[in-house]
Amino acid sequence: ARAVQGEGGFPEAEITLGTRHELGVSWLVPQLDRLAKKYPTLHTHLYFGSGPDLVLRVRTMEIDCAVTSTRFTDPKIHELRLQREDYVFVGAPSLLAKTPFRKPEHATSHTLLDISAELPLFRYLRDAGVDLRFAGVVRLGTIAAIRARALAGAGVAVLPLYFVTADLQKNALARVLPKTAPAHDYFRLIFRADDPRRVVYEGLAKAFSEEPLK
């Protein structure tokens, strides 16, 4: 019990941390060496999955914890806030030159790219008070696939700002309706409320909160 509570130093622990592929590769994996130096008694494994899948696997004890921005309501799962996640509504300049999108009513001439039928990314624009009607919706499963199709001019999409900052700087993507900012969210470290290793997750959260999203 004293080890779990962190008395006498950070406890020894072996955990499986869930994350979505894009965030894991760009942000979590580069931190593993720093994490090992900071907490040498912590042994970390990774599991890659989608947002709802990560929440489910934490709930069913298949993984110990996960980093996700997926919204959920479950008193049996606790969360520690890590980093703010901002979003942008974007499209390829070539697409926007051919088919303008300067007003909300122009949405009827465009295809929306999103992850699933629930439109979890477009939700951030809707939460900002914008409710658009599109010509169609294409579901692509991951934000990496959405970004690729948006770069190809296949449609418009709401994407995490950190994920497309370089594309915006290179003018490979452009903001749509730039005066309307989508709502923001937060990445969280989630774990079961009955897990006695809270001090471990607090250490993880502290380490992850020190590194900007990329």
Side-chain angles (χ1 to χ4, degrees), residues 18-19 59 94 102 113 126 185 187:
T19 177
R59 184 181 293 120
S94 58
R102 302 188 186 95
L113 310 175
R126 184 178 290 153
D185 208 336
F187 276 112

Side-chain angles (χ1 to χ4, degrees), residues 5-148:
Q5 293 168 6
E7 296 181 23
F10 193 82
E12 183 169 357
E14 183 171 356
I15 63 167
T16 298
L17 169 67
T19 177
R20 72 186 190 206
H21 181 269
E22 298 89 352
L23 183 73
V25 171
S26 67
W27 189 61
L28 290 180
V29 171
Q31 296 192 65
L32 291 179
D33 288 340
R34 182 173 69 88
L35 193 65
K37 291 180 181 179
K38 188 177 182 69
Y39 302 120
T41 58
L42 176 63
H43 308 285
T44 306
H45 308 282
L46 293 181
Y47 170 85
F48 290 90
S50 64
D53 171 63
L54 296 174
V55 176
L56 175 62
R57 289 182 185 273
V58 169
R59 184 181 293 120
T60 58
M61 303 176 66
E62 295 177 72
I63 60 177
D64 300 298
C65 58
V67 173
T68 180
S69 59
T70 298
R71 298 179 184 179
F72 64 92
T73 302
D74 189 339
K76 294 182 180 180
I77 296 182
H78 285 182
E79 63 178 56
L80 299 170
R81 189 171 288 183
L82 304 179
Q83 296 280 357
R84 171 167 163 159
E85 185 177 32
D86 291 296
Y87 294 84
V88 286
F89 189 31
V90 296
S94 58
L95 171 66
L96 300 177
K98 180 180 178 181
T99 310
F101 200 150
R102 302 188 186 95
K103 302 177 181 179
E105 51 266 34
H106 291 167
T108 56
S109 299
H110 287 270
T111 297
L112 176 69
L113 310 175
D114 212 313
I115 290 177
S116 64
E118 291 76 26
L119 305 183
L121 293 174
F122 179 65
R123 176 191 65 205
Y124 293 107
L125 194 59
R126 184 178 290 153
D127 287 354
V130 180
D131 193 11
L132 306 177
R133 297 290 181 268
F134 293 93
V137 176
V138 175
R139 303 186 298 272
L140 294 166
T142 71
I143 64 171
I146 294 171
R147 171 182 172 268

Side-chain angles (χ1 to χ4, degrees), residues 182-194:
H184 65 271
D185 208 336
Y186 292 90
F187 276 112
R188 311 164 182 88
L189 180 69
I190 64 171
F191 54 94
R192 292 181 303 280
D194 61 355

